[in-house]
Amino acid sequence: MSSSDDTLPHPQAECSSPPPNQSQSQIQLPLLIHQLSFNQDNTCFSAVTDRGFFVFNTEPYRPLICRDFESGLSLLSMLFRFEVFVLVGSSYSPSPSAAATNTKALLWDDHASRCIGELSFRSPIRSIRLRRDTIVVILLHKIYLYNFSDLKLLHQLETTSNPKGLCEVSQISGPMLLVCPGLQKGSVRVENYGSKKCKFINAHSSNITCLALTHDGRVLATASSKGTLIRCFNTLDGTLIQEVRRGADRAEIYCLAFSPTAQWLAVSSDKGTIHVFSLKADSVVLGDDRSTSALESPLSNQSALSSLSILKGVLPKYFSSEWSVAQFRLPEGSRCIVAFGQQKNTIMIIGMDGSFRRCQFDPVNGGQMTQMEEHNFLKQEEHFPSWNEDS
């Protein structure tokens, strides 16, 4: 290996140094949130702060874990509901000796309160994705895949500059499908480890800024730096399934999320509006035998078109775009991520301001969603009356 992004020679099965020192003292407000993420089935979400991390159950909403690490964290990845996390130390510490701690990924066994493995790199880790059998580490120009059980390097990929650490992997058992930015602007690399084939999809003319993948890996959603159009592709053959429009103005897309059957797609952006789109991608996920629930809504893909779609080919493409079925409005600039809930026609919204919301949308009439509940997960004196004690 010769690139500056290369791993150090020997990833270790046991940590050569302890993880950030745990403190029993209570975290003092205000907290700075570095990362928010849902687990693979949306039953939990985590919040990484400058002093540690929280994990919450989503349905019902309740606190699960709170951990205080004095030197802080920048990234965390959890695997479903297992008590093994991959932690990346923070580079924001004022201590010069901690300036490069975000080059190490630590496997943390929370049940045993100890580090059980370590992966070291020569450049900062941008993100991490987990499967039951694989750890995927994303750097600026490279992606590394490791066997979860023994940290053996399985594969490495080169990407275009990837500061956001964009990468998604399939979650069903069997060979993995991985998507990440390609080597050209606007392209997505689809790595199918089952067929051992690599495909490149020219998704956009500008840089890719957000990706989402269905659990089985068959459908990919992409957004670009323009943030106006979201495109869905069949990963098996690279064909475009559908194109939906978030809006006319440029926007930064924060999150794309599929519902379990790919009947719906949720989108959040810096415009402050959460959109839910009706998709026809579920026919790819489920085959020709589409679910009854997918057919019972009169809001078909055609009826979700602009009323001016009859003039398609005469008026600009904008007028014939497919628009969202349902929306929920937050203050403009609110940074948040979204996921679909276990309850039918619900989405969950977690924000960098510490907010958790659950909303319900009407699949028949569409329009504004109804907020069902709201919490502030940074109120740890309310959520964690006994420090470091799991609920």
Side-chain angles (χ1 to χ4, degrees):
M1 303 179 187
S2 58
S3 167
S4 60
D5 280 344
D6 283 345
T7 56
L8 295 179
H10 300 291
Q12 298 169 40
E14 294 292 335
C15 298
S16 58
S17 57
N21 294 326
Q22 283 191 277
S23 169
Q24 297 300 319
S25 63
Q26 183 163 331
I27 296 177
Q28 300 297 314
L29 290 176
L31 290 171
L32 177 62
I33 298 176
H34 293 317
Q35 180 208 28
L36 295 171
S37 61
F38 288 95
N39 69 343
Q40 290 82 356
D41 57 7
N42 303 335
T43 58
C44 298
F45 76 89
S46 62
V48 174
T49 75
D50 51 349
R51 291 295 304 274
F53 70 90
F54 301 99
V55 177
F56 285 81
N57 194 74
T58 55
E59 297 185 63
Y61 170 86
R62 63 185 177 92
L64 294 177
I65 298 173
C66 179
R67 296 291 179 260
D68 181 8
F69 291 89
E70 287 184 348
S71 59
L73 300 172
S74 60
L75 297 172
L76 175 149
S77 188
M78 61 188 302
L79 182 64
F80 292 94
R81 298 180 70 89
F82 297 113
E83 291 185 276
V84 175
F85 303 90
V86 178
L87 308 177
V88 178
S90 174
S91 61
Y92 305 103
S93 170
S95 170
S97 63
T101 54
N102 61 349
T103 60
K104 288 186 178 182
L106 305 178
L107 274 69
W108 176 256
D109 183 338
D110 197 71
H111 181 74
S113 295
R114 69 186 185 96
C115 181
I116 58 174
E118 176 184 303
L119 294 167
S120 296
F121 302 86
R122 293 194 176 100
S123 64
I125 298 169
R126 304 292 172 159
S127 68
I128 290 175
R129 298 290 182 266
L130 297 181
R131 279 171 44 105
R132 287 184 171 89
D133 54 1
T134 311
I135 299 175
V136 182
V137 181
I138 300 95
L139 308 183
L140 183 61
H141 293 285
K142 284 196 174 183
I143 296 176
Y144 293 95
L145 284 69
Y146 295 91
N147 189 38
F148 211 129
S149 61
D150 58 9
L151 301 187
K152 178 183 177 182
L153 180 63
L154 301 174
H155 194 209
Q156 57 181 295
L157 310 171
E158 291 190 7
T159 69
T160 186
S161 180
N162 188 13
K164 291 186 175 183
L166 302 178
C167 181
E168 299 297 336
V169 294
S170 60
Q171 291 297 334
I172 61 172
S173 60
M176 179 173 64
L177 188 139
L178 177 149
V179 295
C180 64
L183 294 173
Q184 304 297 323
K185 181 173 68 173
S187 74
V188 177
R189 178 173 184 162
V190 179
E191 195 76 27
N192 190 324
Y193 289 91
S195 64
K196 298 183 180 179
K197 292 181 180 179
C198 174
K199 181 180 293 294
F200 290 89
I201 297 174
N202 294 320
H204 298 270
S205 59
S206 50
N207 289 324
I208 303 294
T209 58
C210 201
L211 297 171
L213 194 64
T214 54
H215 272 223
D216 64 4
R218 292 189 185 183
V219 183
L220 161 72
T222 65
S224 74
S225 55
K226 291 182 180 179
T228 53
L229 296 174
I230 314 298
R231 294 187 172 122
C232 294
F233 297 91
N234 183 335
T235 59
L236 301 181
D237 58 18
T239 57
L240 177 66
I241 299 171
Q242 192 171 354
E243 179 181 274
V244 298
R245 180 174 289 276
R246 181 212 54 80
D249 299 330
R250 295 181 72 100
E252 181 182 357
I253 303 297
Y254 293 143
C255 181
L256 301 173
F258 284 104
S259 65
T261 62
Q263 181 187 353
W264 308 103
L265 177 72
V267 180
S268 67
S269 73
D270 62 354
K271 294 299 183 181
T273 301
I274 310 300
H275 294 273
V276 172
F277 295 90
S278 177
L279 298 182
K280 52 194 175 190
D282 59 336
S283 61
V284 176
V285 177
L286 300 174
D288 294 332
D289 184 20
R290 296 179 58 163
S291 65
T292 301
S293 61
L295 296 173
E296 64 188 16
S297 169
L299 270 175
S300 67
N301 294 299
Q302 291 303 314
S303 63
L305 294 175
S306 163
S307 60
L308 296 176
S309 61
I310 192 172
L311 298 178
K312 185 176 181 180
V314 179
L315 295 176
K317 190 176 181 181
Y318 171 86
F319 293 103
S320 61
S321 295
E322 297 187 39
W323 296 83
S324 59
V325 169
Q327 308 82 34
F328 186 80
R329 302 193 185 282
L330 300 169
E332 186 166 346
S334 298
R335 193 173 188 92
C336 63
I337 64 172
V338 294
F340 285 86
Q342 304 298 313
Q343 298 179 47
K344 192 174 182 179
N345 304 326
T346 61
I347 66 166
M348 299 172 290
I349 308 167
I350 52 176
M352 296 293 280
D353 60 354
S355 61
F356 172 91
R357 293 179 173 91
R358 189 190 319 280
C359 302
Q360 188 168 42
F361 62 93
D362 187 333
V364 176
N365 299 310
Q368 293 300 309
M369 301 184 213
T370 302
Q371 181 169 299
M372 303 167 66
E373 60 179 309
E374 181 179 4
H375 305 276
N376 183 344
F377 59 78
L378 290 182
K379 290 185 177 179
Q380 67 269 17
E381 70 278 5
E382 170 187 328
H383 295 310
F384 301 97
S386 179
W387 193 247
N388 273 345
E389 178 180 290
D390 295 357
S391 63

